[in-house]
Amino acid sequence: MNPTDVKNPEYFHKVVDCQYACPAHTPVPEYIRLIAQQRYTDAYMINWESNVFPGVLGRTCDRPCEPACRRGRIDEEPVAICRLKRVAADNKSDVADRMPKIPEQKNGKRIACIGGGPASLTVARDLMPLGYSIDIYDNQPMGGGMMRSQIPSFRLPDSVLNEEVNFILDMGVTTFFNTEVTSMREILDKNYDAIFVGTGAPKGKLLNLPGLEEASDSVYIGIQWLANVAFGHTEQVAQKVIVLGGGNTAMDCCRTAKRLGGQDVRVVVRSPYADMKASPWEKEDAQHEGIPIFDNHTPKEFVVENGKLKGMMFEKVEAVYDENGKRSLVPTGEDWVFMEADVVLMAIGQENAFPWVERDLGIAFDQWDMPKLDKVSFQSTRENVFFGGDAAFGPENVITAVAQGHQAAISIDLFCRGESLLDRPAPHTNLVSTKMGVHEWNYDNQVEIDDRYVVPLVDLDKALSDRKVEVELGFDREIAFKEAERCLNCDVQTVFDESRCIECDACVDICPTDCITFTANEEDESVLRAKLTGPSNNKTQELYVSAALPTTKVMVKDENICLHCGLCAERCPTTAWDMQKYFYSVTKAGQAA
Amino acid sequence: MSYQIPKFRHPELPKNQLGYTKADYEGSISTLCAGCGHDSISGAIIKAVHELSIEPHKIAKLSGIGCSSKSPTYFLGKSHGFNSVHGRMPSVVTGAAMANRDLLYMGVSGDGDTASIGLGQYGHVARRNLNMVYIVMNNGCYGLTKGQDSATADEGSVSKKGEANPFSAIDLPAIALQIGATFVARSFSGDKEQLVPLIKAAISHRGFALIDVVSPCVTFNNTPGSTKSYEYAREHMEATGTVDFVPMHEEITTKYDPGKTRDVTMHDGSVIRLKKVDDSFDPFDRLSAITALEKSRESGQILTGLLYMDKHSRDLHEALQTSRTPLNQMNEHELCPGSKVLEQINQSLR
Ligand SMILES: Cc1cc2nc3c(=O)[nH]c(=O)nc-3n(C[C@H](O)[C@H](O)[C@H](O)COP(=O)(O)OP(=O)(O)OC[C@H]3O[C@@H](n4cnc5c(N)ncnc54)[C@H](O)[C@@H]3O)c2cc1C
Ligand SMILES: Cc1ncc(C[n+]2csc(CCOP(=O)(O)OP(=O)(O)O)c2C)c(N)n1
Ligand code: SF4
Ligand code: SF4
Ligand code: SF4
Ligand SMILES: [Mg+2]
């Protein structure tokens, strides 16, 4: 194989598994170290720069970083990355003086953001410091989008959300709340320099089953019902509640119902338990609150007596997989099952809807009625209209909305300055040695063996008595330190200098996880992998291949399960290995060098 | 500085027949200098013993004094160990082996420990053909005492001190051959592909098995003028051939050119497959081995690989007809059969 080009910023970036997996590429190990050093405010700001809502995300993020975390490949469970983020938010001091300065002198460009969710707020966050004037339109009474209307207060307290939304609004954004935008043409007529559409995926799906019409008074669309609860329009629910669906919305619906007076609250889902869309921890949380989940039940009809909903009929199914692994749910032939209900909440998915965007404005839509967009710039077919967040490619999550908001802001800035949208700024990177002495590093290279710490919860009775009581208490500082110490510091890179190596094999012998091999090079990656010291079966992880050494062999390091313990560098008599800290951050609008 | 090695190991480490991974054969973290060849030899021993599926408690590692003799602490942490006096490892092994022939005796020594203070014991243990593996970690100097030239340092070799060694070198394999050793090999710490099968073959051999391993001392003797440096060893290594080791329980599947290869079945049923480089060399012929060693010395090469093996080796236990049962498994009556038996023995000697 060709020698690895470690100058390519993406090479070492990929080694930092969590950061690479994070849609906004938050420098995770950097903030985890800052937490261990009790520098909570610094840890918070590193997060804020990347993901804008550390307090929100530290409680609610879908955490794609955790399944990617290297620790999960060598230990039972990954680092509790998400909940450490919350620790930074909970323990930070006043950050007002760290917020970007907003120029008094505006640059004369006006931007409209339709929707006030995380995507639009991120656009505003990035463009306000550059002197843009920003108008946000949203049909809700306050900013935050679905973070406010959908994510229940027992997972995300209002105070946390308000603080982080206000950091942005206080930059001087002009807000038009309680304002439904019904015509894109009208917005265009206001002559904004650019328009960002961050309206999310606001339409909940409804299953049209027999009896729906008669039962309609007692059947609600989950996301509408949650919004009504969030804004105080719905304060209680009847005793028997069926929640249909197996995603996170279903979990939020059932847990909310349990707090509003529901006694017999149950989740009924078509798929097997293991296949449910909800994150494992959301399912666990619901079950912990005494909510049973009935899987393999397909809803068939509403049972209505004297105009009043009595319950629902379900057909039992089982999952059958064909040779391609494609699943179908096949009825078992058993009798239908009746379940009683006073209320049914439908949490079976959301969709985008753009009835307010006239189709003659040059904004093209595809066969699924989604806007046609450039995947990198988020520009629509009308050059000054951009989309981002759930409105762009369908429902995702907050961190994706933020990541896309950052990219859309770059595009809008380039567009307003008349530059090419293809000229995306390179990431900011920095690689420095951590060497402090002969065998000393400025990071904690000891690998702790502790199991993942569990986040303590509030007393269950207390939690269920009030929908505003936050369930998770968060880590205290002491546990946060211990959890932070589980992090392997994957950003401290093993950097190899072939000109120094004397091929003594010391690094090969010391490496606890058999990462390093000196061997004859091979053209074919799989042939080379087969020759390595340790099993090398994770093809998603790179091989670091050196140039040829004096013996004509090459050094090959399988990045897969390197502990970043630095022992290779400590053992190397010639400092051919060095442990170097790699900082990678996505460049934001206006920051390009 | 890390004084501890992380607990985590590769999650897919292969298991041997006993269900153990390589990690089960590790020792404590080494305190030798970073880059010391001895650590690589420790690694090779771990690999060989793991792959042979030997139970750790069936091994005793014994050594003298020196960096090399410290190294048993860094491998086979669950085996028996005896760190003896300088140059006296052979007599301790002899005693242990006489008492219990069921253990695998792995002697580890240095060139100072063996060729200087221990030369006498070395000669006798080889001559008696004690069933043991004898590994010399040969760095041409006294590493532990700061790098004085040892008796294996080549004439003219210049270590860190900067003065050329005025004396001629003792060649340990040559002495072993002269004196009657039944398995003689040489290797290099930086070549595990060669060293690991040699260690396995040495373990399978019944009788005295010497492996002299060139093992650079990075701190005192890895200088440009040294003949025991990494660079010199690599440039001057010349192999008699390659050795493949096929354990008893595995089937031999690959076929080789019969003119160039020979399969030798060891007493435990394993097979070593020798692939020759030079047709004139015969590792079963002592004269051929001695000639080859002399020739390579003249041409300034380091001859490595299996140099000599006596397929019909009779070890010390056979010669002395020692007890099959280890002494620690005998009861008091068997160990001390009483004055009548003693009387009988005395009578028989009159
Ligand atoms: C029940 C539920 C729970 C969730 N939990 C999580 C979670 O725990 N973690 C997570 O990461 N994600 C979660 N999500 C997903 C997450 O909320 C969204 O992916 C994210 O908020 C999308 O951000 P956005 O900025 O694209 O749009 P949104 O947050 O949807 O914001 C769009 C805003 O635009 C407004 N709007 C829409 N159309 C118009 C219009 N025509 N005129 C004016 N205003 C308009 C909407 O009312 C809304 O306020 C959850 C979603 C649901 C439904
Ligand atoms: C009886 C006795 N004499 C001298 C010493 C001092 N001494 C300790 S180690 C050593 C030489 C070790 O050399 P070698 O066996 O080559 O080991 P290395 O450290 O090079 O691996 C000497 C002379 C001693 N410990 N005991
Ligand atoms: S161990 Fe730390 S740096 Fe490595 S992937 Fe996990 S959280 Fe990220
Ligand atoms: S840092 Fe070096 S020694 Fe430690 S696991 Fe990674 S490659 Fe191995
Ligand atoms: S320890 Fe250093 S010199 Fe020795 S093989 Fe490894 S990188 Fe090369
Ligand atoms: Mg020595």
Side-chain angles (χ1 to χ4, degrees):
Chain A
M1 292 174 70
N2 288 330
T4 303
D5 177 16
V6 295
K7 295 256 150 53
N8 177 347
E10 294 308 305
Y11 182 76
F12 284 141
H13 178 33
K14 196 173 168 196
V15 175
V16 196
D17 294 286
C18 48
Q19 182 177 17
Y20 191 71
C22 174
H25 303 309
T26 305
V28 173
E30 178 74 5
Y31 84 67
I32 291 184
R33 272 192 303 273
L34 289 168
I35 289 170
Q37 294 162 19
Q38 301 192 311
R39 290 169 59 186
Y40 305 110
T41 312
D42 293 335
Y44 182 83
M45 290 312 294
I46 291 252
N47 269 290
W48 190 77
E49 287 290 339
S50 296
N51 56 49
V52 193
F53 302 100
V56 172
L57 289 165
R59 292 165 164 86
T60 65
C61 188
D62 267 352
R63 22 173 155 154
C65 53
E66 292 192 16
C69 170
R70 174 178 304 266
R71 180 106 190 177
R73 298 199 290 273
I74 55 139
D75 195 1
E76 303 273 315
E77 285 187 278
V79 175
I81 300 171
C82 178
R83 293 323 190 239
L84 284 172
K85 191 191 309 293
R86 170 174 173 177
V87 171
D90 285 357
N91 291 283
K92 69 177 189 302
S93 45
D94 187 16
V95 293
D97 61 337
R98 302 206 187 194
M99 288 291 147
K101 303 282 165 283
I102 307 304
E104 309 239 311
Q105 185 66 45
K106 299 290 167 192
N107 69 2
K109 304 281 183 189
R110 292 167 57 246
I111 314 293
C113 292
I114 320 295
S120 286
L121 289 168
T122 301
V123 171
R125 193 229 88 108
D126 286 357
L127 296 182
M128 285 302 295
L130 304 182
Y132 288 85
S133 305
I134 300 205
D135 294 351
I136 288 185
Y137 296 85
D138 193 290
N139 53 14
Q140 293 180 169
M142 294 171 90
M146 286 197 168
M147 298 189 292
R148 187 177 300 282
S149 65
Q150 298 299 315
I151 303 181
S153 300
F154 56 82
R155 290 206 286 125
L156 173 61
D158 281 348
S159 56
V160 176
L161 178 62
N162 289 343
E163 179 180 40
E164 290 182 340
V165 170
N166 288 339
F167 284 151
I168 298 163
L169 299 184
D170 291 348
M171 290 175 174
V173 175
T174 311
T175 55
F176 300 89
F177 288 136
N178 292 314
T179 306
E180 176 88 29
V181 174
T182 51
S183 162
M184 180 62 115
R185 190 185 310 281
E186 280 174 24
I187 299 286
L188 288 169
D189 286 346
K190 295 184 202 266
N191 290 323
Y192 287 106
D193 292 281
I195 294 162
F196 177 77
V197 181
T199 48
K203 204 174 124 201
K205 287 191 199 158
L206 192 64
L207 253 190
N208 196 357
L209 296 174
L212 176 63
E213 214 161 301
E214 297 94 303
S216 60
D217 284 355
S218 309
V219 179
Y220 300 92
I221 290 177
I223 63 170
Q224 281 173 4
W225 185 78
L226 285 172
N228 281 333
V229 174
F231 293 114
H233 308 315
T234 296
E235 284 173 340
Q236 61 198 44
V237 72
Q239 293 204 345
K240 292 183 199 129
V241 183
I242 289 179
V243 176
L244 296 181
N248 288 339
T249 305
M251 299 304 115
D252 282 339
C253 284
C254 68
R255 295 176 71 192
T256 303
K258 192 90 184 180
R259 287 161 170 78
L260 296 194
Q263 298 292 323
D264 175 2
V265 179
R266 55 178 67 192
V267 173
V268 189
V269 54
R270 293 168 61 221
S271 67
Y273 182 82
D275 294 1
M276 285 169 63
K277 283 215 189 87
S279 321
W281 56 88
E282 302 252 350
K283 294 195 278 188
E284 279 163 27
D285 289 344
Q287 286 168 305
H288 172 72
E289 293 178 356
I291 300 167
I293 297 176
F294 294 85
D295 64 348
N296 295 317
H297 281 69
T298 303
K300 297 307 271 189
E301 61 184 43
F302 294 96
V303 179
V304 186
E305 272 174 31
N306 305 325
K308 194 177 173 303
L309 179 71
K310 283 283 155 196
M312 287 193 78
M313 295 299 287
F314 295 91
E315 181 178 52
K316 289 188 83 174
V317 293
E318 63 185 344
V320 177
Y321 299 86
D322 70 10
E323 58 270 25
N324 302 323
K326 202 172 172 271
R327 190 192 75 184
S328 46
L329 296 172
V330 183
T332 61
E334 291 165 83
D335 289 345
W336 285 10
V337 180
F338 173 72
M339 292 189 193
E340 285 185 275
D342 304 319
V343 164
V344 172
L345 303 176
M346 292 237 187
I348 53 171
Q350 327 149 230
E351 288 171 329
N352 294 81
F354 300 101
W356 55 279
V357 181
E358 295 85 348
R359 301 300 147 110
D360 59 352
L361 301 172
I363 305 171
F365 283 76
D366 66 15
Q367 60 195 112
W368 298 283
D369 223 20
M370 291 295 284
K372 284 191 180 168
L373 303 176
D374 181 274
K375 288 217 157 53
V376 175
S377 68
F378 296 91
Q379 189 179 37
S380 74
T381 51
R382 185 176 168 124
E383 61 170 12
N384 65 340
V385 177
F386 300 81
F387 286 70
D390 286 358
F393 301 111
E396 283 284 347
N397 48 36
V398 174
I399 189 67
T400 304
V402 168
Q404 296 181 352
H406 282 314
Q407 291 306 315
I410 290 173
S411 301
I412 292 170
D413 182 46
L414 289 171
F415 174 76
C416 289
R417 290 193 284 120
E419 287 169 31
S420 163
L421 300 199
L422 299 176
D423 265 347
R424 317 295 296 179
H428 168 75
T429 63
N430 187 20
L431 186 66
V432 280
S433 178
T434 61
K435 205 172 174 80
M436 301 275 285
V438 180
H439 288 141
E440 255 181 288
W441 314 101
N442 69 10
Y443 75 106
D444 196 350
N445 64 324
Q446 287 236 18
V447 180
E448 299 300 331
I449 60 169
D450 303 26
D451 291 338
R452 179 180 171 120
Y453 288 88
V454 178
V455 179
L457 304 181
V458 76
D459 178 65
L460 186 59
D461 288 340
K462 193 172 169 208
L464 294 182
S465 67
D466 182 350
R467 73 168 174 95
K468 297 218 166 193
V469 170
E470 188 173 17
V471 171
E472 289 192 6
L473 297 172
F475 289 137
D476 63 25
R477 291 178 176 209
E478 212 169 303
I479 297 183
F481 172 76
K482 289 188 186 158
E483 184 62 35
E485 289 291 289
R486 293 182 72 237
C487 172
L488 298 170
N489 303 288
C490 302
D491 59 340
V492 181
Q493 306 286 347
T494 55
V495 182
F496 182 72
D497 176 355
E498 42 267 87
S499 69
R500 289 172 171 270
C501 174
I502 58 169
E503 297 178 69
C504 69
D505 266 7
C507 52
V508 178
D509 292 321
I510 195 69
C511 176
T513 44
D514 298 313
C515 301
I516 306 170
T517 307
F518 288 83
T519 186
N521 203 350
E522 298 290 341
E523 294 264 304
D524 186 65
E525 180 176 330
S526 48
V527 178
L528 192 56
R529 281 185 184 270
K531 288 175 32 179
L532 301 190
T533 317
S536 179
N537 301 319
N538 185 352
K539 305 244 160 82
T540 65
Q541 292 279 324
E542 302 292 325
L543 297 182
Y544 181 173
V545 183
S546 77
L549 293 156
T551 56
T552 74
K553 289 183 181 174
V554 288
M555 185 290 300
V556 187
K557 182 194 165 207
D558 184 350
E559 298 282 9
N560 184 22
I561 48 167
C562 170
L563 305 171
H564 297 259
C565 65
L567 285 179
C568 48
E570 289 189 12
R571 276 286 132 157
C572 178
T574 61
T575 62
W577 286 109
D578 190 23
M579 303 306 292
Q580 301 188 1
K581 189 172 94 174
Y582 186 61
F583 188 79
Y584 176 107
S585 71
V586 179
T587 305
K588 289 199 287 290
Q591 285 183 343
Chain B
M1 173 83 183
S2 304
Y3 296 103
Q4 269 180 346
I5 191 157
K7 189 199 82 162
F8 294 107
R9 293 291 175 275
H10 197 305
E12 298 158 55
L13 274 189
K15 292 196 167 131
N16 65 13
Q17 286 182 304
L18 303 169
Y20 295 141
T21 67
K22 199 185 68 176
D24 295 312
Y25 293 87
E26 289 171 0
S28 328
I29 191 168
S30 169
T31 58
L32 301 180
C33 303
C36 177
H38 300 354
D39 282 333
S40 284
I41 303 174
S42 298
I45 293 172
I46 292 171
K47 191 165 159 52
V49 174
H50 170 249
E51 288 175 3
L52 287 179
S53 297
I54 302 173
E55 290 167 289
H57 69 277
K58 290 280 179 62
I59 307 173
K61 25 170 201 166
L62 299 98
S63 60
I65 297 292
C67 297
S68 35
S69 293
K70 276 172 74 179
S71 67
T73 308
Y74 317 133
F75 58 84
L76 302 180
K78 294 181 177 122
S79 299
H80 308 280
F82 197 116
N83 198 190
S84 76
V85 203
H86 203 16
R88 270 59 180 169
M89 174 268 283
S91 51
V92 180
V93 185
T94 308
M98 289 303 103
N100 183 353
R101 59 154 82 178
D102 282 356
L103 297 182
L104 159 63
Y105 292 98
M106 172 92 65
V108 173
S109 180
D111 43 314
D113 197 58
T114 292
S116 298
I117 193 169
L119 193 61
Q121 298 222 343
Y122 172 70
H124 288 288
V125 75
R127 166 181 162 265
R128 289 172 179 158
N129 203 21
L130 182 68
N131 187 18
M132 74 175 295
V133 177
Y134 193 119
I135 292 176
V136 181
M137 301 182 169
N138 189 346
N139 55 14
C141 68
Y142 301 165
L144 191 69
T145 53
K146 297 209 168 216
Q148 300 84 349
D149 290 335
S150 80
T152 65
D154 289 310
E155 192 176 338
S157 178
V158 185
S159 75
K160 193 177 172 192
K161 186 136 182 277
E163 274 163 43
N165 172 36
F167 306 116
S168 78
I170 289 179
D171 186 8
L172 291 169
I175 289 185
L177 277 169
Q178 284 282 348
I179 240 166
T182 52
F183 182 109
V184 179
R186 179 151 47 209
S187 190
F188 168 46
S189 66
D191 187 359
K192 284 205 188 68
E193 276 167 42
Q194 184 191 56
L195 180 55
V196 172
L198 281 176
I199 296 174
K200 290 179 181 172
I203 290 173
S204 289
H205 175 73
R206 181 187 289 177
F208 183 80
L210 167 76
I211 312 178
D212 175 34
V213 191
V214 176
S215 176
C217 170
V218 271
T219 305
F220 298 111
N221 203 9
N222 195 35
T223 42
S226 164
T227 59
K228 294 270 190 302
S229 68
Y230 280 106
E231 213 179 319
Y232 189 93
R234 260 197 201 101
E235 274 170 15
H236 295 81
M237 245 178 92
E238 176 192 50
T240 58
T242 60
V243 177
D244 280 343
F245 183 87
V246 189
M248 185 180 52
H249 53 85
E250 265 172 41
E251 217 184 320
I252 299 177
T253 47
T254 40
K255 286 259 176 293
Y256 284 108
D257 169 8
K260 286 255 183 237
T261 62
R262 270 182 76 175
D263 287 351
V264 185
T265 306
M266 310 294 282
H267 85 277
D268 64 0
S270 340
V271 170
I272 61 171
R273 167 163 286 174
L274 306 168
K275 199 158 138 205
K276 280 193 277 183
V277 172
D278 173 5
D279 280 339
S280 67
F281 176 73
D282 178 1
F284 306 108
D285 175 5
R286 223 162 72 166
L287 194 60
S288 163
I290 292 172
T291 314
L293 271 177
E294 273 308 314
K295 270 196 198 154
S296 81
R297 199 212 317 240
E298 261 171 29
S299 63
Q301 296 296 97
I302 305 170
L303 189 65
T304 65
L306 179 63
L307 302 173
Y308 174 69
M309 188 171 92
D310 177 356
K311 286 180 282 182
H312 311 291
S313 156
R314 268 180 84 239
D315 80 330
L316 185 59
H317 292 294
E318 277 178 76
L320 295 184
Q321 296 186 332
T322 59
S323 164
R324 287 226 129 266
T325 315
L327 301 191
N328 62 9
Q329 289 169 27
M330 295 183 181
N331 60 30
E332 197 184 330
H333 178 71
E334 287 169 303
L335 285 170
C336 190
S339 45
K340 266 199 190 134
V341 180
L342 180 62
E343 192 53 36
Q344 280 170 13
I345 293 172
N346 285 343
Q347 279 299 335
S348 74
L349 298 172
R350 288 220 163 91

